[in-house]
Amino acid sequence: MIIFHDARCTEYSAPGHPERPERITRTVPFLKDRHHDWEWREPRPADEASLLRAHSGEHVARIREGARDFDADTPVYPNIYEHALRSAGAAIDTARAALKNQRAFSLMRPPGHHATRDRAMGFCYFSNIAIAALDALESGAKRVAIWDFDAHHGNGTEDIVAHNSQIAFASIHQFPAYPGTGAKSFANIDNYPVAPYTPRAEHADIAQHALQKLLKFKPDLLLVSAGFDAYSGDPLVQMTLEQEDFATFGEWLRQIDIPAAAILEGGYSDDLPELIDAFLTSWEIEL
């Protein structure tokens, strides 16, 4: 397992904000203590050409200039452009590693799947996974699938990849919940709205169905928006998955023959290190 990580991603914060540095600072030593054989790599920042495949020039300029907060959840932190570049670059590096048949995970912040082509929102500045998917298509992949099991709808990913015949996108998310989208499927977009407090077995079955449908697309690469906020103990939503369910998600990845890479999105409980470890360990190890 290769972990793409840059410690500078923990250098920004806002009091009381759920997307906080501790999500990463507690996870890094936890994983390093449990997995001495995993390889840690520092990602390269994304270049502007990579950003512009997914975002408008105006959007990139707004993030770079940082003149005002984008919304109440998405402040202009000091150096947020550089932080967002490194997070997007880690997603690209993770996807490129997967195309070399390596298992890879991006352990970075800020997350990305709410950032649309023209708007930063929901803790997200650049759409890391969409940027990585479009880079993979430039790098030789013919078809890319995106499996988003974050508890919130990946509206930004959808906005960028909708109607791209080389990409299939599936989002399994609580509905109703932030950002209020994702009720309908269309074209290459499969949305799976899940009601609050849906039984965990039913939720997991929906996630498996979504993955199996993506595999029928016969992608050259599967990218995973790995959000761990569908956990029963997460403070932001009302979902019911347990640590064992995220381990099951990792096991499904291990069982498929398609190169896969995962990118951290949400997950705001104090149990996040254990949830990430369960997912990655099951993905890597033959049980």
Side-chain angles (χ1 to χ4, degrees):
M1 182 69 66
I2 301 169
I3 309 293
F4 285 94
H5 171 69
D6 187 321
R8 287 174 289 184
C9 76
T10 65
E11 291 177 353
Y12 70 92
S13 63
H17 200 295
E19 206 291 282
R20 60 198 192 278
E22 289 77 14
R23 302 176 65 230
I24 306 296
T25 58
R26 294 179 62 248
T27 301
V28 169
F30 189 90
L31 295 180
K32 286 185 173 180
D33 181 62
R34 290 204 170 187
H35 305 280
H36 300 290
D37 58 332
W38 286 4
E39 180 181 350
W40 292 73
R41 294 184 188 173
E42 186 172 301
R44 295 163 294 188
D47 60 27
E48 189 157 305
S50 299
L51 301 180
L52 292 174
R53 293 189 191 109
H55 296 286
S56 68
E58 293 80 7
H59 175 78
V60 173
R62 281 193 294 271
I63 305 297
R64 185 191 301 114
E65 292 159 8
R68 63 183 66 86
D69 289 350
F70 299 99
D71 61 26
D73 293 325
T74 317
V76 171
Y77 296 104
N79 303 313
I80 192 58
Y81 177 68
E82 287 75 19
H83 292 304
L85 283 184
R86 287 190 283 267
S87 194
I92 291 171
D93 285 349
T94 303
R96 289 181 178 179
L99 288 172
K100 297 175 183 174
N101 293 311
Q102 298 168 314
R103 292 180 174 126
F105 179 67
S106 173
L107 182 58
M108 292 287 286
R109 57 193 287 266
H113 75 153
H114 293 309
T116 70
R117 176 171 171 76
D118 291 302
R119 182 182 175 194
M121 59 183 287
F123 317 160
C124 303
Y125 300 86
F126 294 134
S127 182
N128 302 324
I129 204 156
I131 290 167
L134 295 169
D135 178 81
L137 294 176
E138 286 289 319
S139 302
K142 301 299 183 188
R143 290 181 299 278
V144 176
I146 302 173
W147 184 45
D148 186 337
F149 61 72
D150 187 279
H152 300 92
H153 178 232
N155 64 298
T157 312
E158 175 182 295
D159 178 66
I160 292 164
V161 309
H163 304 290
N164 186 325
S165 62
Q166 293 180 277
I167 297 177
F169 173 64
S171 176
I172 306 98
H173 49 270
Q174 179 173 308
F175 187 87
Y178 181 89
T181 53
K184 307 269 187 189
S185 299
F186 61 94
N188 61 325
I189 306 296
D190 282 317
N191 283 313
Y192 298 87
V194 178
Y197 304 110
T198 293
R200 56 185 283 220
E202 182 180 341
H203 185 155
D205 284 346
I206 293 168
Q208 184 176 40
H209 172 78
L211 177 59
Q212 292 302 318
K213 186 172 181 184
L214 287 176
L215 296 180
K216 291 178 182 176
F217 182 62
K218 300 192 182 306
D220 304 304
L221 173 68
L222 174 69
L223 295 178
V224 182
S225 268
F228 297 87
D229 40 5
Y231 174 55
S232 64
D234 198 273
L236 298 191
V237 289
Q238 299 79 42
M239 303 194 95
T240 59
L241 296 185
E242 299 295 343
Q243 180 174 318
E244 296 78 12
D245 298 304
F246 294 107
T248 297
F249 291 177
E251 186 176 348
W252 293 342
L253 292 186
R254 179 170 47 78
Q255 292 170 347
I256 66 176
D257 290 332
I258 295 162
I263 295 160
L264 180 63
E265 298 283 5
Y268 308 100
S269 77
D270 289 340
D271 295 328
L272 181 62
E274 289 89 345
L275 303 179
I276 292 174
D277 180 57
F279 170 67
L280 295 179
T281 300
S282 292
W283 182 11
E284 186 204 33
I285 294 174
E286 293 292 336
L287 301 177

